[in-house]
Amino acid sequence: MKGAKLLGLRKRLNVKMDSKRALDSCFRFFSPDQSIVPDEGHFFTAPFDPSKLNLFANNDPDEFFTNAERNLITKLFLDSTECPVEEKEGGVYINKGIDSLINHEVYSAAFPLHEGNIKPMSNDPNFFKGKDKDRLRLYHSWAKPCNAFRLQPLEYVRKYFGEKIGLYFAWLGFYTTFLIPATMFGFGVFLYGLITLPTDQTSKDACNVKGAGNFTLCPLCDNLCDFEKLSDSCLYARLTHVFDNYGTVAFAVFMAGWALAFLEFWKRSQAALQFMWSTNNYEAYEKLRPGYEKNVKKYIVNPVTGKKEPTVPAHEQLLRLFTSMSMIFFLICVVCIAIFAVLVYRLAVAAALFAVDQNGAKLITTVTASVLNLIIITVLGFIYNWLALIATKLEKHKTFSDHEESYTFKIIVFQFINYYGSIIYIAFFKGSFIDPPGKKNMYVFGKYRQDECDPTGCFIELTIQLAIIMVGKQALNGFIEFILPAIKNCFRRVNENTIGRQRWEDDYDLEDNSTFLFFDEYLEMVIQFGFVTLFVVAFPLAPLFALINNVIEIRLDAYKALKMFRRPPAARAQDIGAWYPILRGFAYLAVITNGFIIAWTSDFIPKLVYIWNSSNSVGGRRLTGYLDWSLSSVNTSLLSRTNDAKADIYDKRTHRVKYPECRFRGHVTLGENSEYEPTREYWQILFARMAFVIVFEHLCFLLMSLISIFVPDIPGRIKQMWRYERQLEQSIAYEDSFAHVRERRASMGEQVAEVNEVTEITSH
């Protein structure tokens, strides 16, 4: 009772609220099995007071506090226990908390126990009744795969694990549900591309060997690459139209609004959970981090408590921060080197494949380079997570929240560059700074030729890169998060006798996941949110793959939490913490990235300029001649003889030039000084691209502003319920204060009656 009051817990009053919404009946089919997790309804709450137990619902001492609340109270007393620790300099320093004892290796671990064993479903009507059945209920109504399309029993998740983990699963479920409209729109754009493919003039021209497909293209590499025909890029042209069509722009605008709408509506849902779970006024009590107490040897006296507290001098803190940031900067440089290494691999493999067989060489190079990049990303991610934790510990943060925020910042910055670096290179830099063939600026350091886009553009290469990294990451994470812990748990138990083991022995053999509570799971979803928003125009199917992954992810995370990991200490929280501003930053950055992808990587703007300039703009033939217009030509005699293609430009029999000229992607023409100069179309396209980016971003930001204005952070019914609850609290306080007055008056009345009686006796 004392611990509950110290924690400021709010408990249910004997006043039930009407929390049903009009849409609840629509989702009745998807609700959890009521025979396993019955809906207990929602009650108004008030701060717990042991002297007023009659006001609260469910006065049974065994069930009054939830599983997580008992966990919190126990942890409070364990954290408040004073522990004398001998220091090296002599003397005894009074430390506090079970974590300090673990840090000094007095204990090896401290964790709450899971409730009983998980058993197969039984027809016994009392199977789910009784105390300590929350774990069993959650497994059969939540973690089993057959519940994949049911809503989560979030109230029971909160009662067993606490509000912090409950909020994670609530957020993940909300995000997964919100992916449905994005999936439908993205799949519609994909279907539109497939349906209109037979009538797409650009891909038809590219595949026409008697027309534009017969254009001779300049070699894409030196020494080993031969001249090729535009028809060799037929597959790329077809795939490009499937993902890059007129529906892409509408999808980009929709996703900009979708991202912010998701965050705004999540705030509303979070506000409802804060009210239902009574965490809206919760402020976490910050205690010193045990690692900080152990490693810091300088102490100062707290002027309030008069006790010694460890501290780190400012100059030492700055030195440690500089060392930590230097490590992070070095590792970011390693990521950039890895991206460059994949680029070198791409050039080398492309040259080798072109020397053997040009058919499929570009596609094979793109796919294998993307797979190699995914492997490097995964390996560097493991290394960086380990080093980031070391660097964060080196900084010696005083509280756990400061420690976690510093670690989160490092991980987000690194993973952003790690996962998105190669995608950003293809989207915005590849082929953007290349001169026409034969010019010195085509080469890095004078001899290494720069990476170039296919004559049909870099868009489909960006799509392949994004798809492989995103889908491959999800598959690898599933293996790492589920298979590896299962293997570790099996190895721990293989040589142990499980007969007669106690509960704590079984739980001790499980994986420990309490250092950063569900940090990796949040990080995985935030990175996925980046794929779904930042580059979604290049891969409209990204929301679909994210939706499929998340439906599985919810059940896997639930299964891991209940069966594969130690039960984490219950923790309270009123929001998802630092992850929300990160997600909001991604939403705004997505407007910029998608705008530039459409303007610079896609062919949308050049096609509009061509249609504007072209006199032949009737019906489906309005893009006839676009490929010829988009490709410039160069005299093959101007190509460098030292860096020439493997096939000589001269026919050995006739001694005539086989290919007088070759075509390349760009809008340039040969000037009077034998130097290439941009054409009028080049400046038109550049102006149109810049204008599109400005208009697109202003339109999206206007849409996002309107959503922020017209979507209130707190639902109206929740505001009303809050007012009712405050009135109820005031009424209880009012009645309580007047109860004291009535008692005082009653006691005074008794005293007056006694005095009157004595007076009457005396008078007689």
Side-chain angles (χ1 to χ4, degrees):
M1 298 291 184
K2 179 182 177 182
K5 194 168 184 179
L6 289 173
L7 286 169
L9 295 181
R10 298 177 65 92
K11 296 302 296 178
R12 294 179 173 183
L13 296 169
N14 283 315
V15 183
K16 194 171 184 179
M17 69 175 74
D18 182 14
S19 59
K20 292 184 178 181
R21 297 172 297 178
L23 293 177
D24 287 348
S25 58
C26 301
F27 297 98
R28 188 179 304 168
F29 177 77
F30 301 100
S31 62
D33 190 341
Q34 295 296 306
S35 64
I36 302 176
V37 282
D39 185 6
E40 299 177 349
H42 296 284
F43 295 77
F44 289 106
T45 63
F48 174 72
D49 188 343
S51 63
K52 304 173 185 176
L53 284 177
N54 61 306
L55 297 177
F56 297 98
N58 192 1
N59 291 325
D60 185 354
D62 294 331
E63 297 183 3
F64 186 77
F65 293 108
T66 67
N67 217 307
E69 288 171 342
R70 294 199 298 269
N71 190 333
L72 276 170
I73 295 169
T74 304
K75 189 73 165 59
L76 172 68
F77 289 117
L78 287 175
D79 287 339
S80 304
T81 304
E82 294 187 344
C83 315
V85 179
E86 294 184 4
E87 298 296 330
K88 292 182 180 179
E89 293 81 2
V92 175
Y93 168 63
I94 303 300
N95 209 341
K96 279 189 176 183
I98 187 67
D99 291 332
S100 298
L101 294 177
I102 295 173
N103 223 27
H104 285 86
E105 299 180 353
V106 178
Y107 295 105
S108 59
F111 52 89
L113 301 180
H114 279 297
E115 289 184 346
N117 295 315
I118 294 176
K119 304 173 184 177
M121 181 76 81
S122 170
N123 294 325
D124 183 359
N126 297 320
F127 184 69
F128 293 108
K129 294 181 179 179
K131 295 190 303 179
D132 301 334
K133 292 291 184 72
D134 285 344
R135 186 189 186 195
L136 191 62
R137 293 190 190 102
L138 285 173
Y139 177 76
H140 288 287
S141 65
W142 180 45
K144 292 178 71 173
C146 61
N147 300 304
F149 298 102
R150 289 182 178 271
L151 299 175
Q152 302 180 83
L154 293 175
E155 187 63 30
Y156 285 83
V157 175
R158 178 190 74 92
K159 286 168 60 177
Y160 188 73
F161 289 110
E163 286 81 7
K164 190 170 186 178
I165 293 180
L167 270 174
Y168 163 73
F169 282 104
W171 174 81
L172 180 56
F174 186 85
Y175 169 47
T176 303
T177 304
F178 226 79
L179 280 170
I180 294 175
T183 297
M184 295 172 65
F185 202 131
F187 192 70
V189 172
F190 174 73
L191 283 180
Y192 173 79
L194 285 177
I195 293 170
T196 58
L197 179 59
T199 60
D200 176 53
Q201 190 64 46
T202 305
S203 59
K204 287 198 297 184
D205 289 345
C207 298
N208 184 8
V209 294
K210 295 182 180 180
N214 196 39
F215 290 161
T216 300
L217 302 178
C218 299
L220 292 177
C221 65
D222 295 328
N223 302 321
L224 297 176
C225 295
D226 199 353
F227 294 96
E228 57 180 308
K229 298 295 184 181
L230 181 59
S231 58
D232 294 336
S233 299
C234 176
L235 177 61
Y236 265 39
R238 290 178 177 274
L239 289 175
T240 298
H241 175 74
V242 172
F243 294 99
D244 180 17
N245 50 64
Y246 292 121
T248 304
V249 179
F251 185 52
V253 176
F254 170 80
M255 288 303 295
W258 174 90
L260 193 69
F262 159 67
L263 295 173
E264 291 297 323
F265 279 98
W266 163 247
K267 281 199 296 187
R268 290 168 58 86
S269 179
Q270 184 174 258
L273 290 174
Q274 288 173 354
F275 174 71
M276 298 298 181
W277 295 352
S278 303
T279 59
N280 50 303
N281 294 320
Y282 168 74
E283 293 183 2
Y285 166 70
E286 286 280 24
K287 63 187 184 69
L288 294 180
R289 192 172 59 87
Y292 179 83
E293 294 177 302
K294 178 182 178 182
N295 297 320
V296 175
K297 300 304 179 185
K298 185 174 181 179
Y299 303 101
I300 59 173
V301 177
N302 187 317
V304 177
T305 63
K307 295 182 179 180
K308 291 196 301 181
E309 290 184 354
T311 186
V312 178
H315 68 278
E316 182 182 343
Q317 187 71 42
L318 288 174
L319 180 62
R320 290 177 176 276
L321 185 62
F322 175 77
T323 305
S324 172
M325 290 297 105
S326 300
M327 293 172 59
I328 304 307
F329 178 75
F330 171 75
L331 286 170
I332 290 175
C333 292
V334 171
V335 175
C336 297
I337 293 172
I339 295 173
F340 181 76
V342 173
L343 171 60
V344 173
Y345 166 85
R346 189 187 297 270
L347 296 174
V349 171
L353 290 176
F354 273 115
V356 178
D357 183 14
Q358 294 196 168
N359 294 328
K362 289 179 286 189
L363 184 60
I364 294 173
T365 301
T366 301
V367 172
T368 56
S370 300
V371 173
L372 176 63
N373 194 24
L374 174 63
I375 295 171
I376 293 174
I377 286 171
T378 305
V379 173
L380 287 178
F382 277 116
I383 296 173
Y384 185 84
N385 287 351
W386 175 63
L387 289 177
L389 188 58
I390 293 176
T392 307
K393 288 181 178 178
L394 182 66
E395 293 171 2
K396 291 187 177 180
H397 293 285
K398 195 168 187 176
T399 63
F400 184 79
S401 62
D402 292 339
H403 183 79
E404 187 174 20
E405 286 176 7
S406 177
Y407 180 72
T408 302
F409 170 76
K410 294 181 183 66
I411 291 294
I412 285 295
V413 170
F414 174 81
Q415 296 292 22
F416 184 91
I417 299 173
N418 193 29
Y419 278 102
Y420 307 139
S422 60
I423 298 174
I424 291 172
Y425 163 74
I426 295 174
F428 305 122
F429 298 103
K430 183 175 181 179
S432 299
F433 307 102
I434 295 179
D435 277 357
K439 291 297 180 180
K440 292 182 179 180
N441 288 343
M442 285 195 69
Y443 301 91
V444 181
F445 305 121
K447 60 178 180 178
Y448 298 107
R449 184 162 174 169
Q450 294 187 47
D451 197 14
E452 298 178 50
C453 294
D454 185 82
T456 57
C458 284
F459 196 89
I460 192 60
E461 189 174 339
L462 176 63
T463 302
I464 294 172
Q465 180 86 0
L466 178 60
I468 290 178
I469 292 179
M470 177 183 175
V471 178
K473 170 188 172 294
Q474 292 178 169
L476 282 175
N477 281 346
F479 175 81
I480 293 169
E481 292 180 7
F482 185 76
I483 304 298
L484 288 185
I487 294 173
K488 289 180 181 178
N489 291 340
C490 287
F491 272 110
R492 289 193 189 101
R493 297 179 179 179
V494 68
N495 295 322
E496 296 183 6
N497 183 13
T498 58
I499 300 175
R501 283 164 59 94
Q502 298 184 29
R503 175 80 263 164
W504 71 266
E505 293 177 296
D506 289 335
D507 287 5
Y508 185 75
D509 287 338
L510 300 177
E511 280 283 287
D512 183 17
N513 191 35
S514 60
T515 304
F516 293 107
L517 204 56
F518 275 76
F519 180 90
D520 291 337
E521 286 75 10
Y522 267 120
L523 177 63
E524 179 186 352
M525 290 298 107
V526 168
I527 295 297
Q528 183 199 89
F529 183 80
F531 283 122
V532 169
T533 54
L534 295 177
F535 312 100
V536 71
V537 293
F539 189 43
L541 295 180
L544 172 62
F545 285 100
L547 177 63
I548 296 171
N549 173 81
N550 290 3
V551 169
I552 300 171
E553 181 76 18
I554 290 174
R555 307 305 157 181
L556 282 182
D557 286 347
Y559 183 87
K560 290 186 303 181
L562 290 171
K563 289 201 69 175
M564 301 179 67
F565 289 103
R566 293 176 188 170
R567 185 178 174 187
R572 304 189 75 198
Q574 62 177 351
D575 51 41
I576 60 174
W579 299 110
Y580 184 84
I582 292 171
L583 292 169
R584 198 171 187 88
F586 275 19
Y588 283 104
L589 183 60
V591 175
I592 300 172
T593 55
N594 286 312
F596 275 94
I597 288 174
I598 294 173
W600 259 267
T601 310
S602 166
D603 274 349
F604 177 74
I605 299 300
K607 286 180 179 179
L608 288 183
V609 173
Y610 176 76
I611 292 172
W612 180 268
N613 292 335
S614 176
S615 58
N616 182 20
S617 58
V618 181
R621 297 179 57 81
R622 58 184 180 179
L623 284 174
T624 301
Y626 168 74
L627 285 176
D628 187 19
W629 177 81
S630 66
L631 298 173
S632 297
S633 61
V634 60
N635 194 315
T636 54
S637 62
L638 297 178
L639 299 179
S640 173
R641 299 305 301 271
T642 56
N643 292 318
D644 218 342
K646 69 172 184 179
D648 198 353
I649 62 174
Y650 295 98
D651 191 319
K652 293 181 180 180
R653 289 189 301 115
T654 62
H655 299 287
R656 293 181 180 178
V657 177
K658 291 191 296 183
Y659 306 109
E661 65 176 17
C662 60
R663 311 295 290 271
F664 61 93
R665 186 176 174 86
H667 294 274
V668 294
T669 185
L670 197 61
E672 296 179 356
N673 299 326
S674 298
E675 293 292 333
Y676 286 98
E677 298 175 353
T679 62
R680 180 173 63 92
E681 289 79 5
Y682 171 85
W683 297 111
Q684 287 178 334
I685 292 172
L686 180 62
F687 174 80
R689 282 172 167 166
M690 295 174 66
F692 173 82
V693 169
I694 294 172
V695 172
F696 176 82
E697 291 181 359
H698 279 70
L699 176 62
C700 291
F701 285 134
L702 174 63
L703 177 63
M704 297 168 85
S705 299
L706 292 175
I707 292 173
S708 298
I709 293 171
F710 290 106
V711 178
D713 292 347
I714 303 175
R717 65 184 186 89
I718 296 299
K719 288 183 179 179
Q720 185 65 36
M721 292 295 180
W722 257 325
R723 284 195 290 268
Y724 289 157
E725 190 168 81
R726 282 196 294 268
Q727 291 172 3
L728 193 59
E729 285 186 49
Q730 291 171 358
S731 174
I732 293 172
Y734 181 84
E735 290 293 331
D736 186 50
S737 62
F738 272 85
H740 287 296
V741 172
R742 284 193 294 269
E743 289 177 2
R744 186 177 177 183
R745 285 180 176 177
S747 63
M748 290 177 64
E750 291 177 359
Q751 292 176 5
V752 170
E754 290 178 0
V755 170
N756 291 338
E757 184 179 352
V758 171
T759 304
E760 185 178 354
I761 293 172
T762 306
S763 63
H764 284 294

